[in-house]
């Protein structure tokens, strides 16, 4: 193995501090550590550098990893690196064995970092620049991560330039850290107790789901508002990307943007109306909104006598070749069945069948009829944003007569 | 941290199934169907009727005129009904395994336009005749416009099937099993459409 380059690097550092050092002596020490004791070269370099630093009482000589500081866009899993960057976000550590997590950014990119409790690292502050020497790059859930362990040295450094986060088009997102500019177009029912908010955010290129976990100081987004979101964490679940906003700085913007909702449309006949259509009761607990059972039982919040009513259609739309599950929310439902929520509530409260009566009326109004639904496909289900009944088209009759008669 | 959220789509995906589409087929074509088969050994794997135009069919959707309904049986109550389209008659049944359909049926009075979703089944009578009836999943009253829409829809679907039959395994099989002239069904579609013009 060739130790001269490493020895050269160490000796230059020492010489630059005004001390004389024998390069061959350094090389011998390195060789001994590596060949005799099986120390990795990077670690051997550290050891020798430290030793010389002590010998000559030089402060701040240590450079852990081999070579100069890398830029964050050049990290590859498995590397030991030295990087400099600004801590742009700190997040609550998910486990006691982790002392800090957050995002560090330089002018080229941003990555997540994890500081293990055992690393004895200084407490980092958001907004400050640091140099991470001998940190390890690894991969976690498909994205690159910077791990700070006990061999890593963190020193605060002066700001290294202005960081302008690059805005990524939503269609181009990949796991890691990204900044996006988009409009919140949908808010979803929370599927988990710890979710503050989840929904969809879209820009001109596409849309992605987002989630904000409950945490001190986190706020909900407002539907219809455009936001610039700096340093969100992008994860991948089941092949779909999701933005976690807990790491992000979210800035509301003026004005509006054109969004690509990824809408599809589907024409067909309602062939089945699923239970859970019609008048339903929802859990009134803030952020829950789950559908209650007949006995007003919420799977999370138990009996909720002060439920809220809602109207919806859950059913299957079928074009004869393909059949799709569709979910229609109240606003569209009211128009389709010709009944407002208030009317439905009155009917349900004044007929012996109660809420079943509404289901039956929905069934009679929808089943066997032709509709065109427009919306976004999610988990094989069409979340309908617009739905209109189809009418008989005489021009289609003429076309079909030609087609059927053409070669008869 | 995000494991909780991940669990939901995963479990839902596992439990999902493919719902069989409801084929649009004229009574005149369904009446000619004889071949029924099941793909897969599973108890729950769907069974199909092979249509003479060359498509497998587990479920049908049609709109027509309810001309007759009869309540039958004592212990095992069921309804038998006839629904007529421009090409012939569908025999519709709703038994105690289809309680919703039975109740819907109970509220209907012939003659009226109805939309039916159901599963076709092939029967052989003791004297060897083959009958095909539709086990009703739902039967709802509709208006004439919906009936007319269905005739267009069904004619288009029939023509589509005829066009595709040349290049599909089911089309091949139908040609072998039935050996029927595609022109019959083209004419059937034409005549059904022609009635709308009146």
């Amino acid at each position: 193995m060739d130790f001269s380059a490493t020895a050269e690097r160490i000796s230059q550092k020492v010489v630059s501090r005004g001390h004389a050092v024998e390069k061959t002596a350094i090389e011998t020490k390195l060789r001994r550590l590596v060949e005799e004791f099986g120390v990795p070269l990077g670690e051997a370099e550290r050891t020798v550098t430290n030793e010389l630093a002590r010998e000559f009482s030089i402060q701040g000589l240590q450079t852990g990893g081999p070579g100069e500081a890398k830029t964050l866009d050049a990290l590859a899993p498995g590397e030991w690196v030295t990087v400099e960057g600004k801590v742009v976000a700190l997040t609550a550590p998910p486990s006691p064995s982790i002392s800090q997590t957050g995002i560090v950014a330089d002018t080229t990119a941003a990555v997540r970092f994890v500081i293990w409790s055992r690393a004895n690292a200084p407490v980092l502050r958001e907004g400050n620049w640091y140099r991470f020497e001998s940190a390890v790059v690894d991969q976690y859930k498909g994205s690159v991560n910077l791990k700070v362990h006990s061999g890593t040295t963190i020193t605060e450094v002066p700001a290294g330039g202005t960081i302008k986060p690059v805005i990524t088009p939503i269609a181009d997102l990949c796991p890691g850290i990204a900044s996006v500019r988009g409009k919140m177009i949908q808010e979803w029912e929370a599927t988990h107790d710890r979710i503050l908010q989840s929904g969809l955010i879209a820009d001109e290129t596409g849309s992605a789901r987002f989630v904000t976990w409950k945490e001190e100081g986190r706020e909900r987004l407002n539907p219809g508002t455009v936001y610039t979101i700096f340093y969100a964490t992008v994860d991948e679940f089941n092949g779909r990307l999701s933005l976690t906003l807990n790491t992000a700085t979210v800035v509301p913007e003026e004005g509006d943007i054109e969004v690509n909702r990824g809408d599809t449309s589907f024409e067909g006949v309602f062939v089945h109306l699923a239970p859970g259509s019609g008048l339903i009761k929802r859990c009134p607990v803030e952020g829950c909104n789950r559908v209650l059972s007949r006995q007003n039982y919420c799977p999370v919040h138990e009996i909720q006598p002060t439920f809220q009513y809602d109207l919806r259609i859950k059913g299957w739309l079928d074009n004869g070749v393909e059949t799709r599950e569709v979910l229609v929310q109240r606003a569209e439902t009211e128009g389709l069945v010709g009944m407002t929520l208030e009317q439905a509530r009155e009917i349900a409260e004044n007929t012996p069948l109660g809420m079943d009566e509404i289901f039956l009326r929905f069934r009679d109004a929808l089943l066997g009829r032709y509709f065109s639904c427009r919306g976004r496909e999610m988990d094989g289900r069409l979340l309908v944003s617009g739905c209109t009944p189809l009418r008989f088209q005489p021009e289609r009759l003429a076309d079909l007569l030609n087609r059927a008669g053409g070669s008869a | 941290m995000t494991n909780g959220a991940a669990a939901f789509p995963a479990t839902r995906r596992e439990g999902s199934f493919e719902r069989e589409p409801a084929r649009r087929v004229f009574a005149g074509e369904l009446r000619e169907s004889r071949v029924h088969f099941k793909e897969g050994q599973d108890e729950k794997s769907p069974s199909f009727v092979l249509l003479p135009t060359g498509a497998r069919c587990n479920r049908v959707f049609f709109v027509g005129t309810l001309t007759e309904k009869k309540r039958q049986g004592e212990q095992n109550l069921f309804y038998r009904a006839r629904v007529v389209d421009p090409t012939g008659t569908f025999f519709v049944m709703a038994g105690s395994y289809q309680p919703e359909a039975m109740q819907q049926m109970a509220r209907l009075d012939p003659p009226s336009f109805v939309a039916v979703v159901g599963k076709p089944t092939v029967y052989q009578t003791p004297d060897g005749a083959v009958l095909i009836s539709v086990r009703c999943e739902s039967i709802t009253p509709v208006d004439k416009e919906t009936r007319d829409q269905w005739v267009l829809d069904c004619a288009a679907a029939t023509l589509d099937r005829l066009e595709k039959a040349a290049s599909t395994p089911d089309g091949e099989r139908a040609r072998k099993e039935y050996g029927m002239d595609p022109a019959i069904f083209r004419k059937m579609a034409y005549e059904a459409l022609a009635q709308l013009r009146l």
Side-chain angles (χ1 to χ4, degrees):
Chain A
M1 201 186 275
D2 183 23
F3 299 99
S4 61
T6 315
E8 176 67 35
R9 188 158 58 233
I10 299 172
S11 80
Q12 271 184 11
K13 260 181 225 156
V14 178
V15 169
S16 73
R17 299 298 187 95
H19 299 275
V21 69
E22 197 63 47
K23 197 187 137 193
T24 47
I26 295 174
E27 205 172 322
T28 311
K29 280 179 184 168
L30 287 172
R31 183 180 304 279
R32 190 155 177 259
L33 283 168
V34 174
E35 292 183 351
E36 212 168 306
F37 294 95
V39 176
L41 184 59
E43 198 54 39
E45 180 175 356
R46 254 175 78 79
T47 310
V48 175
T49 312
N50 273 341
E51 201 174 292
L52 290 168
R54 272 197 304 276
E55 194 181 322
F56 298 114
S57 308
I58 310 171
Q59 297 289 315
L61 186 60
Q62 181 57 258
T63 73
E68 289 305 295
K70 279 198 156 187
T71 53
L72 293 173
D73 60 345
L75 304 185
E79 280 183 329
W80 286 56
V81 294
T82 294
V83 296
E84 280 183 16
K86 179 184 181 183
V87 173
V88 294
L90 287 170
T91 48
S95 139
S97 58
I98 290 173
S99 73
Q100 273 191 310
T101 55
I103 294 170
V104 58
D106 66 8
T107 50
T108 65
V111 295
R112 260 184 281 210
F113 68 83
V114 177
I115 303 177
W116 298 96
S117 304
R118 285 169 53 196
N120 282 322
V123 175
L124 306 191
R125 283 172 200 281
E126 196 171 325
N128 289 1
W129 282 73
Y130 297 92
R131 181 177 175 89
F132 298 78
E133 295 180 3
S134 281
V136 173
V137 183
D138 74 349
Q139 208 160 8
Y140 179 66
K141 287 187 185 164
S143 62
V144 162
N145 236 305
L146 196 64
K147 264 200 320 204
V148 173
H149 53 95
S150 56
T152 310
T153 318
I154 300 181
T155 42
E156 196 173 331
V157 294
T162 319
I163 295 181
K164 275 200 199 127
V166 183
I167 302 292
T168 309
I170 287 178
D172 297 344
L173 287 176
C174 57
I177 303 295
S179 303
V180 299
R181 180 164 179 272
K183 178 154 99 175
M184 179 191 169
I185 57 169
Q186 257 178 46
E187 181 162 8
W188 295 342
E189 290 174 34
T191 52
H192 195 285
D193 246 3
R194 284 173 42 216
I195 292 180
L196 174 69
Q197 191 183 34
S198 69
L200 271 185
I201 187 148
D203 67 4
E204 299 82 348
T205 65
S207 59
R209 47 193 275 154
F210 74 88
V211 59
T212 308
W213 298 88
K214 283 181 185 161
E215 196 184 28
E216 187 76 28
R218 284 284 142 195
E219 282 175 19
R220 291 163 166 274
L221 307 188
N222 290 319
T225 305
V226 177
Y227 294 92
T228 302
I229 297 170
F230 297 107
Y231 306 121
T233 311
V234 187
D235 290 307
E236 189 173 354
F237 289 130
N238 297 323
R240 280 180 300 125
L241 294 176
S242 166
L243 293 166
T244 304
L245 304 192
N246 289 63
T247 57
T249 307
V250 179
V251 183
E253 303 251 325
E254 296 284 315
D256 202 356
I257 56 172
E258 277 293 311
V259 299
N260 175 352
R261 292 164 183 270
D263 271 12
T264 54
S265 62
F266 191 78
E267 290 186 2
V269 169
F270 268 111
V271 291
H272 181 67
L273 197 61
S277 296
L279 188 63
I280 54 169
K281 302 186 225 174
R282 291 190 183 277
C283 178
V285 173
E286 171 83 21
C288 175
N289 221 24
R290 282 181 183 77
V291 177
L292 302 180
S293 77
R294 280 179 172 270
Q295 289 75 30
N296 303 334
Y297 185 82
C298 168
V300 174
H301 304 100
E302 303 184 292
I303 302 292
Q304 294 290 334
T306 56
F307 51 81
Q308 284 149 3
Y309 278 120
D310 197 4
L311 281 183
R312 71 167 176 191
I313 298 166
K314 269 175 84 178
W316 292 84
L317 206 59
D318 184 308
N319 69 7
V321 178
E322 203 187 332
T323 175
R324 296 269 188 99
E325 190 177 3
V326 298
L327 185 63
V328 188
Q329 302 294 354
R330 187 179 101 205
E332 279 298 306
T333 300
E334 287 181 333
L336 287 181
V337 297
M339 190 192 295
T340 64
L341 175 62
E342 193 47 38
Q343 286 165 336
R345 194 183 58 78
E346 241 167 67
I347 293 166
E349 286 173 357
N350 295 311
T351 50
L353 284 178
M355 285 162 61
D356 286 350
E357 175 68 23
I358 307 300
F359 180 87
L360 296 179
R361 291 194 188 198
F362 270 43
R363 193 179 64 187
D364 286 346
L366 299 168
L367 276 194
R369 290 182 166 78
Y370 287 83
F371 292 93
S372 173
C373 283
R374 193 172 69 255
R376 202 183 131 79
E377 187 131 1
M378 190 63 65
D379 295 335
R381 182 185 288 174
L382 191 67
L383 304 176
V384 175
S385 51
C387 189
T388 43
L390 291 173
R391 309 306 307 248
F392 179 76
Q393 293 165 290
E395 64 280 7
R396 217 178 142 217
L397 172 60
D399 285 350
L400 283 166
L401 276 167
N402 281 336
R403 209 179 137 195
S407 55
Chain B
M1 178 183 199
T2 38
N3 282 345
F8 289 94
T11 49
R12 196 162 60 203
R13 221 168 255 200
E14 260 167 42
S16 74
F17 71 106
E18 289 252 324
R19 189 183 164 94
E20 290 292 333
R23 302 285 178 200
R24 313 325 194 214
V25 54
F26 285 121
E29 180 181 356
L30 191 66
R31 185 181 57 207
E32 300 297 333
S33 305
R34 295 288 174 270
V35 181
H36 56 119
F37 64 96
K38 194 166 167 168
E39 206 127 279
Q41 304 300 310
D42 199 11
E43 194 188 338
K44 293 212 172 140
S45 33
S47 62
F48 298 96
V49 166
L50 183 67
L51 298 176
T53 47
R56 60 184 59 200
C57 155
N58 166 267
R59 179 176 276 123
V60 290
F61 168 67
F62 53 86
V63 182
T65 311
L66 176 75
T67 55
E68 221 181 289
K69 81 165 184 190
K70 236 184 344 197
R71 204 167 80 135
Q72 283 188 334
E74 297 206 344
Q75 298 223 300
N76 289 317
L77 204 62
F78 67 97
Y79 282 90
R80 211 189 264 288
R82 293 166 73 97
V83 176
V84 176
D85 82 354
T87 69
T89 303
F90 294 99
F91 299 96
V92 179
M93 283 181 49
S96 48
Y97 287 113
Q98 298 86 37
E100 283 205 23
M102 267 178 79
Q103 287 159 25
Q104 287 178 303
M105 196 86 95
R107 291 196 286 180
L108 292 169
D109 285 313
S112 59
F113 288 116
V114 291
V116 178
V117 180
K119 303 225 174 191
T121 41
V122 180
Y123 292 105
Q124 193 139 24
T125 59
D127 57 6
V130 176
L131 287 177
I132 191 150
S133 78
V134 175
R135 206 153 27 79
C136 184
E137 291 179 321
S138 109
I139 178 165
T140 38
V142 292
D143 53 12
K144 181 170 179 301
E145 185 178 357
T146 306
R147 200 282 309 262
D148 293 350
Q149 281 176 284
W150 177 79
V151 173
L152 294 188
D153 188 17
C154 186
T158 304
L159 296 172
D160 285 348
R161 283 198 297 272
L162 286 173
E163 275 166 24
K164 280 195 195 110
S167 57
T168 60
D170 282 342
E172 168 97 3
R173 188 167 169 191
R175 273 196 302 283
K176 233 185 263 166
E177 296 275 5
Y178 297 107
M180 292 178 78
D181 184 356
I184 297 172
F185 300 107
R186 194 178 294 278
K187 188 157 168 279
M188 189 183 285
Y190 183 86
E191 281 169 3
L193 292 166
Q195 284 194 29
L196 293 186
R197 268 202 302 206
L198 301 176

